[in-house]
């Protein structure tokens, strides 16, 4: 069977690495000649909205999937017209692409979110911030990632700077939540509605970018697993979801507040390659191709650490016992995710040795 990826980044790369042992084959569409997936599969180098490239891309594929929620909806519509099978579908993509639709979906399903409001003008921003009081975060409705397209508003004095940074785009204003921690749930659902859930992970961000993930149970003895799974089930049912879905939560006073979802495999699930019986990448492929889902059980305690901005020499890392290195072969740039490390059976000492290398 052959799968097509819209986008050829590290997620497509890791899906392919998970799918080759199953005998699967892959093709990706990405305008970047040096995209991380390009040297592992057939690569069509073109923009995702190029009709000729889409026709060529869709030939002979059993299923098409995305590796970014920013794929234009028109691209999926075009592919559906050519008879392609696409998982997850347009509804999931369109909902998670726009923070306003996404948060409204959570709200309609009774899943708690930070109080939010659509902002269509400078006047509305002024009015909301002044009348509600407190601190906020202003976000672009579309295309934000790794904390990009966000501005923190601590008081009305910050409105000018926030508008200068983001004004003119479609915006959403959220109340700033003083949460206790962040966590995420990776779920997978097949076309018959069978679901599996990975253990909840505790996430730590630095400058809005994910830095580490570890089992929630290592961090806290408050069990939130069943609550998180109940929220995920409702969302996946609502979206007729097929594939891996990630939901990011804030933890406040022992309860979950949904922040956002990603209709794809996710950075906070990279640990599953070595730490779970079946990785998120393999389970996504199984789900979208109609194969039985694999066990999501934890195999080993772990800590996942992102490599951001600068890739240390492999020889300086690989002497650490239990360290699994993933280098995406990307050009180094400040704040860019270049790879990740999964540390099995982690200790504070090993973690500190790694962070010294990352500095
Ligand atoms: P990514 O795609 O990397 O997950 P993003 O850029 O899409 O991130 P969010 O996940 O919404 O954006 O926000 C990034 C981080 O900013 C969150 O993980 C959290 O640490 C902080 N943050 C976002 N919204 C709020 C909020 N309402 N209150 C407090 N902190 C927030
Ligand atoms: Mg996020």
């Amino acid at each position: 069977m052959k799968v097509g990826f819209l986008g050829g980044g590290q997620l497509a790369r890791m899906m392919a690495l998970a799918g080759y042992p199953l005998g699967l084959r892959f093709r990706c569409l990405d305008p970047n000649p040096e995209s991380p997936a390009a040297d592992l599969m057939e690569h069509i180098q073109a923009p995702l909205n190029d009709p000729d490239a889409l026709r060529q891309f869709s030939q002979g594929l059993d299923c098409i999937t995305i590796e970014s929620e920013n794929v234009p909806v028109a691209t999926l519509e075009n592919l559906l017209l050519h008879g392609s099978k696409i998982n997850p579908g347009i509804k999931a993509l369109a909902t998670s692409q726009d923070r306003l639709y996404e948060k409204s979906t959570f709200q309609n399903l009774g899943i708690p979110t930070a109080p939010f409001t659509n902002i269509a003008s400078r006047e509305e921003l002024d009015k909301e911030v002044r009348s509600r009081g407190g601190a906020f975060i202003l976000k672009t409705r579309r295309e934000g990632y790794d904390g990009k397209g966000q501005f923190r508003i601590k008081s009305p004095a910050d409105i000018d700077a926030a508008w200068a940074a983001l004004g003119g785009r479609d915006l959403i204003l959220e109340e700033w939540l003083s949460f206790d921690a962040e966590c995420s749930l990776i779920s997978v659902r097949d076309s018959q509605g069978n679901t599996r859930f990975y253990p909840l992970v505790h996430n730590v961000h630095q400058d809005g970018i994910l830095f580490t993930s570890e089992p929630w149970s290592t961090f806290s003895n408050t069990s939130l697993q069943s609550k998180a799974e109940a929220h995920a089930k409702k969302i996946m049912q609502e979206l007729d979801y097929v594939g891996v879905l990630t939901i990011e939560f804030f933890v406040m006073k022992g309860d979950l507040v949904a922040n956002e979802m990603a209709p794809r495999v996710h950075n906070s699930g990279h640990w599953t390659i070595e730490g779970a019986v079946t990785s998120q990448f393999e389970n996504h492929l199984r789900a979208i191709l109609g194969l039985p889902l694999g066990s999501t059980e934890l195999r080993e305690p772990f800590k996942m650490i992102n490599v951001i901005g600068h890739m240390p020499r492999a020889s300086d890392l690989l002497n650490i016992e239990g360290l699994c290195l993933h280098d995406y072969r990307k050009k180094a740039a400040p704040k860019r995710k270049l790879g990740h490390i999964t540390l099995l059976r982690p200790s504070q000492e090993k973690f500190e040795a790694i962070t010294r290398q990352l500095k």
Side-chain angles (χ1 to χ4, degrees):
M1 285 189 285
K2 193 161 187 172
V3 174
F5 298 120
L6 291 164
Q10 65 260 27
L11 300 180
R13 179 180 172 93
M14 288 186 274
M15 281 191 270
L17 289 169
Y20 282 128
L22 299 178
L24 304 177
R25 289 178 307 144
F26 303 95
R27 176 185 297 154
C28 68
L29 177 65
D30 195 306
N32 175 7
E34 288 169 34
S35 42
D39 53 357
L40 283 187
M41 63 188 76
E42 195 188 327
H43 173 210
I44 298 176
Q45 195 195 324
L48 299 187
N49 58 2
D50 176 333
D52 291 333
L54 284 173
R55 206 167 306 122
Q56 189 194 347
F57 169 72
S58 64
Q59 295 303 311
L61 295 177
D62 293 279
C63 191
I64 292 171
T65 195
I66 54 172
E67 61 130 42
S68 152
E69 54 274 40
N70 295 326
V71 172
V73 169
T75 291
L76 295 203
E77 284 167 348
N78 178 319
L79 289 166
L80 284 175
L81 284 177
H82 289 101
S84 298
K85 179 172 152 196
I86 308 173
N87 281 321
I90 285 194
K91 196 174 175 189
L93 180 75
T95 307
S96 54
Q97 227 164 50
D98 186 319
R99 293 186 195 275
L100 186 67
Y101 298 155
E102 179 178 66
K103 287 212 157 59
S104 306
T105 301
F106 294 159
Q107 206 172 45
N108 294 338
L109 294 170
I111 299 166
T113 67
F116 63 92
T117 182
N118 185 38
I119 296 292
S121 66
R122 165 75 211 241
E123 290 69 39
E124 261 181 38
L125 179 63
D126 247 16
K127 187 177 122 250
E128 292 292 336
V129 170
R130 287 175 204 283
S131 63
R132 288 172 182 237
F136 301 87
I137 182 161
L138 183 66
K139 300 179 180 175
T140 56
R141 279 172 51 181
R142 287 178 220 93
E143 284 174 355
Y145 71 98
D146 289 348
K148 293 186 177 85
Q150 305 194 353
F151 202 98
R152 203 172 154 184
I153 300 179
K154 292 180 188 157
S155 76
D158 297 328
I159 295 175
D160 277 339
W163 192 256
L166 303 177
R169 299 166 72 178
D170 290 332
L171 299 170
I172 180 171
L173 183 71
E174 293 177 23
E175 274 181 28
W176 179 263
L177 299 184
S178 298
F179 51 75
D180 302 314
E182 292 186 77
C183 67
S184 57
L185 182 74
I186 315 264
S187 314
V188 60
R189 184 175 188 263
D190 68 18
S191 60
Q192 279 115 58
N194 298 307
T195 51
R196 301 246 185 163
F197 305 92
Y198 288 92
L200 202 61
V201 291
H202 170 230
N203 298 325
V204 174
H205 292 79
Q206 269 180 6
D207 303 326
I209 307 178
L210 183 67
F211 181 47
T212 62
S213 297
E214 64 180 349
W216 176 258
S217 56
T218 311
F219 169 75
S220 162
N221 52 20
T222 314
S223 176
L224 295 168
Q225 186 77 28
S226 56
K227 269 189 188 168
E229 289 183 10
H231 292 332
K233 260 190 194 155
K234 278 193 200 168
I235 295 168
M236 291 192 295
Q237 205 161 10
E238 168 70 19
L239 299 175
D240 304 321
Y241 201 86
V242 177
V244 163
L245 174 81
T246 307
I247 308 170
E248 296 179 16
F249 296 100
F250 300 138
V251 181
M252 284 181 80
K253 300 183 191 110
D255 213 345
L256 293 171
V257 176
N259 175 36
E260 63 170 352
M261 64 181 165
R264 54 172 170 80
V265 290
H266 193 258
N267 194 173
S268 66
H270 289 0
W271 64 271
T272 59
I273 298 172
E274 295 91 1
V277 175
T278 316
S279 77
Q280 62 165 349
F281 304 102
E282 181 176 334
N283 255 337
H284 181 70
L285 295 170
R286 290 189 189 206
I288 66 171
L289 291 168
L291 297 167
L293 300 180
S295 165
T296 48
E297 231 170 280
L298 187 71
R299 190 147 57 172
E300 296 251 36
F302 68 88
K303 190 165 182 127
M304 192 286 301
I305 304 139
N306 267 337
V307 180
I308 300 163
H310 154 78
M311 177 60 71
R313 283 191 314 203
S315 55
D316 292 335
L317 290 169
L318 294 176
N319 59 351
I320 297 171
E321 199 69 19
L323 182 147
C324 312
L325 178 62
H326 297 259
D327 183 339
Y328 309 149
R329 295 167 43 91
K330 281 161 76 172
K331 234 185 227 134
K335 297 192 163 190
R336 183 173 290 165
K337 289 175 183 167
L338 303 177
H340 75 268
I341 289 164
T342 302
L343 182 60
L344 296 174
R345 283 176 244 143
S347 67
Q348 189 57 27
E349 196 190 334
K350 288 185 202 171
F351 176 62
E352 281 165 15
I354 293 169
T355 49
R356 273 197 299 278
Q357 294 299 332
L358 296 183
K359 268 179 196 143

